[in-house]
């Protein structure tokens, strides 16, 4: 059973550009969440996808968007990059049966994005 | 609304001493509570979790945490620190709102002195 993987490991972009980060969920998982971790801070919830639909969103602007594919891999897209977008982006996958039951998240190693 | 407060951004202990990392939470419904550890340039590893079963939760690497509803606390302890415990520790709370949105604290950096 493979764990959660993310690509690329590191990425450097300039202000105003667009970026796509990728996440491959753990086998059998149908839910993926994305988090932004700025330097020296805790991860901040961006959004969650369940069965290819957005299922909750944190306080992030619309230029942060995502996709979840039928094979449950996922993308995080950020448009019009700003300097403050520089951070470690983490994805976490879980298997959700329904509401009311706890579903442990498994985190990937993250993508380090630097915006110059 | 959920929130997590970790008291102390940095904690320093001697090797062999007690580790105590403090976490207080706010949640409008019975929460799920977690402690994660993060080593430099790595993702998050789950240390332990509270999911409304036993209030004293045992995790990996000798860590444990006690859920105290009256104090809204979930402090992490380890009887004897090891050099390899030096890392960043995050407390997190999650509620079932159809999905599980997890809110993290700001983190506590643990230093272990020889």
């Amino acid at each position: 059973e493979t764990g959660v993987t993310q690509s690329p490991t590191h990425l450097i972009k300039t202000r105003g550009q667009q970026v796509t980060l990728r996440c491959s969920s753990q086998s059998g998982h149908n839910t993926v969440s994305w988090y932004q971790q700025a330097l020296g801070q805790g991860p901040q919830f961006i959004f969650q996808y369940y069965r290819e639909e957005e299922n909750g969103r944190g306080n992030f602007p619309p230029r942060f968007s995502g996709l979840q594919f039928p094979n449950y891999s996922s993308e995080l897209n950020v448009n019009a990059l700003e300097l403050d977008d520089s951070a470690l982006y983490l994805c976490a996958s879980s298997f959700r049966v329904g509401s009311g039951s706890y579903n442990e998240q498994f985190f990937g190693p993250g993508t380090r994005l630097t915006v110059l | 609304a959920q929130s997590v407060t970790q008291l102390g951004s940095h904690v320093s202990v001697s090797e062999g001493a007690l580790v105590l990392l403090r976490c207080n939470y706010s949640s409008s419904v019975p929460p799920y509570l977690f402690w994660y550890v993060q080593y430099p340039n790595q993702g998050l590893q789950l240390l332990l979790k509270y999911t409304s079963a036993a209030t004293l939760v045992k995790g990996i690497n000798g860590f444990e945490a006690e859920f105290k509803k009256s104090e809204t606390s979930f402090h992490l302890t380890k009887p004897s620190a090891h050099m390899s415990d030096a890392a960043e520790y995050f407390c997190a709370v999650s509620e079932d709102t159809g999905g599980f949105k997890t809110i993290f604290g700001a983190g506590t950096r643990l230093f272990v002195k020889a």
Side-chain angles (χ1 to χ4, degrees), chain B residues 2 12-13 22 24 30 42-43 81 106 110:
Chain B
Q2 312 162 72
S12 182
V13 301
R22 300 178 186 273
N24 288 90
Q42 294 188 26
L110 176 64

Side-chain angles (χ1 to χ4, degrees), chain B residues 61-109:
Chain B
N61 301 338
F63 285 95
E64 63 181 37
E66 186 172 8
F67 171 68
K68 292 187 176 181
K69 183 178 179 180
S70 61
E71 299 178 8
T72 60
S73 69
F74 191 57
H75 302 330
L76 181 71
T77 61
K78 181 174 180 177
S80 177
H82 192 274
M83 296 296 288
S84 61
D85 295 327
E88 187 90 22
Y89 291 81
F90 294 97
C91 181
V93 63
S94 188
E95 294 178 350
D96 178 15
T97 55
F100 281 84
K101 174 182 174 179
T102 302
I103 303 300
F104 287 83
T108 297
R109 172 76 64 181

Side-chain angles (χ1 to χ4, degrees), chain A residues 57-78:
Chain A
R57 190 177 183 92
N59 294 325
F60 282 82
R63 59 190 185 84
F64 285 78
S65 63
L67 284 172
Q68 185 184 32
F69 300 100
N71 66 355
Y72 300 126
S73 63
S74 174
E75 288 182 354
L76 165 64
N77 298 289
V78 187

Side-chain angles (χ1 to χ4, degrees), chain A residues 33 35 37 40-45 48 55 57-58 88 90 96 99-105 107-109 112, chain B residues 32 34 36 38 41-46 49 51 88 90 94 96-107:
Chain A
S33 299
Y35 297 84
Q37 186 179 15
Q41 298 182 25
Q44 300 290 316
F45 176 76
Q48 181 180 89
N55 186 45
R57 190 177 183 92
L88 179 69
L90 298 164
R96 176 182 165 189
S99 63
S101 62
Y102 165 64
N103 309 288
E104 181 172 342
Q105 294 186 99
F107 282 82
R112 174 74 62 185
Chain B
Y32 296 110
F34 311 88
Y36 288 89
Q38 186 176 38
N41 301 312
Q42 294 188 26
L44 299 173
Q45 180 183 7
L46 181 67
K49 60 183 182 284
T51 57
E88 187 90 22
F90 294 97
S94 188
D96 178 15
T97 55
F100 281 84
K101 174 182 174 179
T102 302
I103 303 300
F104 287 83

Side-chain angles (χ1 to χ4, degrees), chain A residues 16-81:
Chain A
Q17 285 189 311
Q18 179 267 341
V19 69
T20 297
L21 310 182
R22 293 178 174 82
C23 173
S24 180
S25 298
Q26 187 161 316
S27 179
H29 286 185
N30 56 12
T31 304
V32 64
S33 299
W34 284 91
Y35 297 84
Q36 179 196 66
Q37 186 179 15
L39 198 61
Q41 298 182 25
Q44 300 290 316
F45 176 76
I46 303 175
F47 44 57
Q48 181 180 89
Y49 278 79
Y50 170 61
R51 292 186 175 178
E52 304 175 53
E53 292 192 1
E54 190 177 292
N55 186 45
R57 190 177 183 92
N59 294 325
F60 282 82
R63 59 190 185 84
F64 285 78
S65 63
L67 284 172
Q68 185 184 32
F69 300 100
N71 66 355
Y72 300 126
S73 63
S74 174
E75 288 182 354
L76 165 64
N77 298 289
V78 187
N79 294 322
L81 284 167

